[in-house]
Amino acid sequence: MILTVTLNTALDLTYRVPALVPHASHRVTQVIERPGGKGLNVARVLAALGHETVATGFAGGSTGEILRTHLAGGPVVDALVPTTGTTRRTVAVVDTASGDTTQLNEPGPTVTPAEWSTFTAHYTDLLADASAVALCGSLPPGIHVGAYAELIRLARSAGVPVLLDTSGEPLRRGIAARPDVVKPNADELAQLTGSREPHRATRDARRRGAHAVVSSLGPDGLLAATPDGLWRASPPAAVKGNPTGAGDSAVAGLLSGLVDKLPWPDRLTRAVALSAATVLAPVAGEFDRTAYEDLLTRVTVTDESEAA
């Protein structure tokens, strides 16, 4: 099975409005409520691809109860750990006229040292049956900034490949623990390396400890510095829609490709196709399957090792 970790889970609310106007009152035309947080989005996409998927992290309070109710009976196995704090909510407001999305994210509950100790023991047990693990998203208050580095080391000790998708100091410390893959976006990569030149920044990030670095270039696709070379994967054209969760779908594609032992060009093709197909879906954690299958044949992957 594939294990996803979302330490700062959320109950995602998506509001659709005809047009988002500052300082105005809005009539909401559609409300969608579902479990959220980057790792849970990744888990849903992996499950839709046919992978056995287990999701762990924290959930607490009335919001956490609602989140777990939504997970019950679904394809993603709930292995969340209770916390005394209340799980956060995120609100995405989709302007249907422009296709733009405005995101509001609460900070999350404070996790106690005892709860963190309980979680690490639970995580270690889950690793025994895992073929790969994804560590995704922000850290809730109370968890030390080296938490992902700690979880990476536990995965490496268990012989389980690990993908890290976070930002800031948790990314800086996590990458030094030598994860198999890290997937920063352009801003996160620039913050880590001090460079906005994609080739230089991606290679610099890999030298900091990761086995491979896959940088998101937004609508332009992905750039990957790997042991097999430097690769760029691009969609055939920019896709208009809701970009929320597109990066999480790319993570699912990369992890799925890793488990299926695909060569890097095929992993990147899957990741870019999933990411673009997610932009066409109404909410994070879903993708347009028809668009995905079409895009698999039209994503372009080029070897840029010599050009960089």
Side-chain angles (χ1 to χ4, degrees):
M1 62 87 171
I2 299 178
L3 178 64
T4 71
V5 176
T6 314
L7 297 177
N8 207 5
T9 57
L11 183 66
D12 282 352
L13 300 172
T14 301
Y15 295 155
R16 300 183 73 87
V17 299
L20 183 60
V21 181
H23 315 300
S25 178
H26 296 79
R27 186 175 297 278
V28 177
T29 58
Q30 184 184 31
V31 180
I32 301 173
E33 178 183 88
R34 61 175 44 223
K38 293 178 72 64
L40 286 176
N41 293 337
V42 172
R44 281 199 300 273
V45 174
L46 285 168
L49 291 172
H51 294 282
E52 179 187 357
T53 310
V54 175
T56 190
F58 291 101
S62 58
T63 308
E65 290 178 6
I66 296 170
L67 184 154
R68 300 188 82 165
T69 298
H70 282 298
L71 285 176
V76 176
V77 177
D78 175 0
L80 297 169
V81 173
T83 180
T84 54
T86 298
T87 296
R88 66 190 178 127
R89 295 162 297 181
T90 68
V91 178
V93 183
V94 180
D95 182 324
T96 55
S98 67
D100 291 338
T101 301
T102 300
Q103 191 84 15
L104 304 173
N105 298 327
E106 295 179 0
T110 298
V111 176
T112 68
E115 289 169 341
W116 176 247
S117 179
T118 297
F119 173 80
T120 54
H122 179 62
Y123 170 78
T124 301
D125 289 342
L126 290 171
L127 286 173
D129 296 317
S131 56
V133 58
L135 308 175
C136 303
S138 61
L139 299 179
I143 294 183
H144 64 97
V145 294
Y148 281 135
E150 180 179 349
L151 298 182
I152 290 166
R153 286 191 289 269
L154 288 171
R156 287 177 59 82
S157 295
V160 179
V162 55
L163 183 153
L164 176 64
D165 183 15
T166 189
S167 60
E169 190 62 22
L171 172 60
R172 188 180 303 278
R173 298 199 185 194
I175 201 171
R178 305 187 66 80
D180 293 86
V181 185
V182 295
K183 197 213 72 65
N185 62 33
D187 289 339
E188 292 161 353
L189 194 62
Q191 185 181 10
L192 175 69
T193 66
S195 173
R196 284 198 169 272
E197 198 289 310
H199 294 87
R200 178 179 179 182
T202 304
R203 282 178 155 164
D204 183 19
R206 184 168 180 251
R207 284 193 290 268
R208 293 168 184 259
H211 190 64
V213 176
V214 181
S215 173
S216 172
L217 305 176
D220 294 327
L222 299 172
L223 181 67
T226 78
D228 300 327
L230 189 69
W231 306 90
R232 182 188 289 268
S234 305
V239 178
K240 185 177 181 180
N242 179 8
T244 306
D248 303 330
S249 290
V251 168
L254 293 170
L255 208 59
S256 172
L258 185 156
V259 170
D260 289 344
K261 303 186 186 306
L262 298 181
W264 269 105
D266 293 341
R267 295 188 206 182
L268 296 170
T269 295
R270 183 177 291 183
V272 169
L274 279 171
S275 181
T278 295
V279 175
L280 297 172
V283 292
E286 295 183 359
F287 61 94
D288 184 310
R289 187 169 290 275
T290 300
Y292 167 61
E293 292 174 355
D294 173 62
L295 286 161
L296 280 174
T297 65
R298 299 198 297 130
V299 171
T300 301
V301 180
T302 56
D303 185 346
E304 302 201 347
S305 301
E306 297 299 325

